[in-house]
Amino acid sequence: MRLSVTSWSFPACTLEEVAGMARAIGLPAIDVGLFYRSALDKRAILHEPDSVVARLKGLGLPVANYYHLFGEGLEDRNLALPGTLEANLKDMERVLAFADKAGIETVFILPGIVNPGQSREAAARVSIESLKAMQALAEGYDARLCIEPHVHSLAESPALVRRLVDETGVGLALDYAHFACLGYRQEEIDPLAPHAVHVHLRQARMGVLQAKLAEGTLNFPAMFGTLRDAGYGGALAIEYVHQDYMNTLNEDVLTETIAMRDCFRNWQREA
């Protein structure tokens, strides 16, 4: 296992600045996405990927993960929205080809939401059909596809997430914080670890998606051990953020990123 940092953690920084900061604090990789000043150009990814590939290779750091949104937000063209699969599959084919060219190990997408007029069960059925098709497509590429279950998605419990995994074979971008925020104990989340393809790290507690490392309930040494014992060997992306979503505006992102880095290094040294 090795550390990474999400480029959207530093909304005022360009992608090149995020890469420079990662190098300065000893983080060996970054995650990229479509947000803030570090955003990649989605239109270019879909239609002119070579320009984006060249930019990423110029950073001088491996890219552990790319976070893709099909539409303009969490709702637009989400995987549980009927009638979106054909267009989303077309985009996903281009995204996976881009990831392979750029040497990106994993691509994560969101599982979808409960759309107006749906029940959670109806949303799950549509999402499962979308994920089956996308997972079949991804088998032809080196980059591994995964979903991140999150607060406000259709998959807000470990049981629902396990159903998506069991019925589709898709991997997980696993973030314990989204479950801890909703009141799940760490031991209830641990059984998802064998399905992790990518991992996000940040502290949390019930009702709070993001907390200072010393003010949450997640036991990170135990988490690292669980992931190792499950055979996980990928990136651990530190994902402290400064954004309006779920009131994640109050932590010093750089300080908490370094604290999490040191927490992992200390565990790794003893391991």
Side-chain angles (χ1 to χ4, degrees):
M1 295 186 290
R2 68 199 184 285
L3 293 174
S4 179
V5 65
T6 54
S7 61
W8 54 90
S9 290
F10 305 99
C13 293
T14 66
L15 185 58
E16 289 72 18
E17 288 168 338
V18 173
M21 191 180 306
R23 282 193 296 270
I25 62 175
L27 298 180
I30 61 171
D31 291 17
V32 295
L34 303 172
F35 305 96
Y36 309 117
R37 288 185 71 188
S38 64
L40 301 184
D41 183 338
K42 181 162 66 173
R43 185 203 62 79
I45 288 171
L46 297 177
H47 302 289
E48 301 171 11
D50 288 348
S51 62
V52 187
V53 170
R55 184 185 182 195
L56 293 180
K57 290 187 179 298
L59 297 176
L61 278 179
V63 177
N65 177 269
Y66 166 56
Y67 169 20
H68 185 74
L69 277 176
F70 294 103
E72 298 305 314
L74 300 186
E75 297 84 13
D76 187 24
R77 289 177 61 184
N78 74 86
L79 293 194
L81 186 64
T84 61
L85 179 56
E86 183 177 354
N88 287 348
L89 273 177
K90 184 180 296 185
D91 283 3
M92 180 51 61
E93 186 172 16
R94 294 171 177 172
V95 165
L96 291 167
F98 153 73
D100 279 3
K101 282 187 175 183
I104 300 173
E105 299 171 19
T106 61
V107 172
F108 94 74
I109 57 178
L110 302 180
I113 64 169
V114 180
N115 295 282
Q118 285 181 323
S119 63
R120 194 181 296 269
E121 173 61 26
R125 288 197 300 268
V126 178
S127 179
I128 285 167
E129 290 309 306
S130 295
L131 287 171
K132 284 180 178 178
M134 291 194 176
Q135 182 65 10
L137 175 67
E139 290 174 1
Y141 295 87
D142 292 331
R144 297 187 66 185
L145 179 66
C146 52
I147 57 169
E148 183 187 39
H150 62 95
V151 176
H152 301 147
S153 75
L154 65 91
E156 293 180 299
S157 74
L160 281 167
V161 174
R162 184 58 186 267
R163 177 185 171 192
L164 295 183
V165 170
D166 287 347
E167 295 197 28
T168 70
V170 73
L172 298 178
L174 182 59
D175 186 341
Y176 276 65
H178 281 281
F179 299 103
C181 171
L182 292 167
Y184 292 97
R185 300 187 311 276
Q186 188 162 338
E187 64 188 46
E188 295 177 289
I189 310 165
D190 284 338
L192 298 177
H195 306 287
V197 171
H198 191 61
V199 173
H200 287 160
L201 302 178
R202 59 178 157 182
Q203 184 59 281
R205 62 181 182 270
M206 187 184 296
V208 177
L209 178 62
Q210 176 174 284
K212 294 178 177 63
L213 184 60
E215 297 180 359
T217 57
L218 291 172
N219 182 329
F220 284 93
M223 185 191 302
F224 300 146
T226 295
L227 289 164
R228 178 199 58 197
D229 292 351
Y232 184 71
L236 304 170
I238 303 173
E239 195 197 15
Y240 275 91
V241 297
H242 182 81
Q243 58 190 30
D244 289 333
Y245 176 64
M246 296 292 291
N247 195 32
T248 50
L249 285 165
N250 302 312
E251 285 68 47
D252 180 336
V253 171
L254 183 56
T255 295
E256 295 305 320
T257 297
I258 290 172
M260 186 66 76
R261 177 203 68 184
D262 291 349
C263 178
F264 176 71
R265 284 180 174 177
N266 290 339
W267 175 85
Q268 189 178 44
R269 186 179 304 114
E270 295 302 319

